Amino acid sequence: MPTKVAINGAAGRMGQRLVALGCQDESLELVACFEYTGHPKFGKDAGEVAGVGELGLHLIEKTDEPYDAIIDFSVPEGAHAAVERAVAAKAALVMATTGLEDEHKAKIREAANVIPVVWAPSMSTTVNLTMKLCEIAGEALKDIPGGADVEILERHHRFKEDSPSGTALRFGELIADKMGITRHIHGREGRPGARPHDEIAYHAIRTGDNPGEHTIIFGLLGETIELTVRASNRDCYASGALQAAKFAAGKKPGLYNMNDVLGL
Ligand SMILES: NC(=O)C1=CN([C@@H]2O[C@H](COP(=O)(O)OP(=O)(O)OC[C@H]3O[C@@H](n4cnc5c(N)ncnc54)[C@H](OP(=O)(O)O)[C@@H]3O)[C@@H](O)[C@H]2O)C=CC1
Ligand SMILES: O=C(O)C1=N[C@H](C(=O)O)C[C@H](O)C1
């Protein structure tokens, strides 16, 4: 039986790619495409909005159709609504929206007591693999004589609303955990003085239509290692999210991440 999937934020940049890839995947069935009522494309056919032709699925706010999983790529308020929908439908939730406030995060954790939730700031295989590599680097360099300076650069399209990216923050958390770092700073200006080793600095670049890239620098005295991961388009995130929906549907309640989905 195909996994029945609903998409929240279906008219957005990511929502459109989920519709486009989802309608070609025989192992799943798109059953609902949600947007809020005031959206300029509300009521239109989601396939036409996504540029793949009419699918007979309209951008709606409510449905009586049952679904096994809901995927959310929207905004914090939309994510909040998706959690409520998932719990009410007893469906799995794939949470991809970033820039969430603490109250939204608490709501997701609470939902994981009653439904399966896959929650990750990046659904990309190569990003999640790079996170593993950074954990290895952090562990290996944590006590290196002279210290290793960690700087995280991220580059995204001009329309992105949250900074730094959720992915950059996750890279920082994972590395900080391995290296025992507690100070996180965002950019530098003025005369901050010599750089202490026990800090991670984030730099967010916004330019053009970049679908997302991250560079993690470990700077030593005399040598440097940099790990870069770059999306060529959004399909790496969309296909990861569809895979996560199939993974989570029917699983027992709990919080899962993309390592669980990808077997990393
Ligand atoms: N985890 C991952 O792998 C990835 C995560 N993301 C994250 O996903 C999110 C969406 O990104 P992107 O698609 O580029 O953004 P878009 O702004 O293109 O899409 C978001 C969509 O959600 C709509 N929306 C706004 N409010 C609601 C609501 N209450 N309910 C339902 N839909 C709503 C928006 O409408 P309107 O335009 O009118 O506001 C828009 O159509 C971001 O947080 C981004 O960081 C992105 C890529 C990968
Ligand atoms: O907004 C985006 O585009 C992206 N957002 C996610 C993030 O904030 O980490 C993931 C990806 O980098 C694309």
Side-chain angles (χ1 to χ4, degrees):
M1 287 292 281
T3 306
K4 290 179 186 278
V5 174
I7 296 167
N8 197 42
R13 283 175 289 273
M14 281 305 306
Q16 291 181 39
R17 292 314 300 157
L18 287 162
V19 171
L21 297 186
C23 72
Q24 291 166 13
D25 185 336
E26 288 179 359
S27 63
L28 60 85
E29 183 189 352
L30 294 182
V31 296
C33 290
F34 295 121
E35 266 298 348
Y36 64 97
T37 36
H39 192 280
K41 304 215 167 111
F42 192 80
K44 293 203 183 323
D45 188 279
E48 289 193 336
V49 171
V52 293
E54 196 175 330
L55 293 176
L57 274 174
H58 295 271
L59 292 167
I60 51 172
E61 200 175 39
K62 283 194 194 119
T63 185
D64 293 328
E65 281 288 319
Y67 46 86
D68 304 308
I70 177 165
I71 304 174
D72 179 78
F73 283 85
S74 63
V75 296
E77 309 79 65
H80 192 85
V83 176
E84 288 183 342
R85 281 193 178 112
V87 171
K90 295 189 175 56
L93 172 67
V94 177
M95 179 48 66
T97 297
T98 56
L100 301 176
E101 302 293 340
D102 287 348
E103 60 179 296
H104 306 124
K105 294 180 186 171
K107 183 118 187 148
I108 295 168
R109 289 194 188 95
E110 196 185 311
N113 292 320
V114 290
I115 54 167
V117 178
V118 179
W119 186 14
S122 178
M123 303 287 164
S124 139
T125 300
T126 57
V127 166
N128 285 284
L129 179 57
T130 308
M131 286 180 181
K132 288 268 169 201
L133 299 176
C134 282
E135 287 187 296
I136 295 172
E139 180 69 37
L141 298 174
K142 67 173 190 274
D143 297 321
I144 196 95
D149 302 325
V150 180
E151 302 269 319
I152 299 178
L153 282 60
E154 58 98 331
R155 187 187 289 239
H156 283 86
H157 52 96
R158 66 171 69 145
F159 310 102
K160 185 162 177 60
E161 293 183 2
D162 55 316
S163 289
S165 67
T167 305
L169 291 169
R170 178 60 49 81
F171 271 117
E173 278 166 22
L174 294 171
I175 295 165
D177 203 39
K178 289 288 175 197
M179 298 181 80
I181 296 173
T182 52
R183 199 172 125 82
H184 298 260
I185 66 157
H186 299 274
R188 289 188 187 86
E189 64 172 354
R191 204 175 149 76
R195 187 196 196 287
H197 298 309
D198 59 344
E199 80 179 14
I200 296 183
Y202 302 83
H203 309 277
I205 299 160
R206 294 289 170 265
T207 175
D209 58 359
N210 193 309
E213 62 186 82
H214 293 83
T215 295
I216 299 85
I217 305 171
F218 294 84
L220 283 61
L221 296 178
E223 56 185 333
T224 297
I225 174 170
E226 296 189 16
L227 292 146
T228 294
V229 58
R230 190 177 288 131
S232 325
N233 58 52
R234 292 186 169 80
D235 287 4
C236 56
Y237 312 123
S239 59
L242 293 169
Q243 205 177 327
K246 288 183 251 180
F247 165 90
K251 279 266 180 318
K252 66 177 192 315
L255 258 191
Y256 300 88
N257 60 31
M258 286 305 285
N259 291 344
D260 300 315
V261 175
L262 300 168
L264 289 174

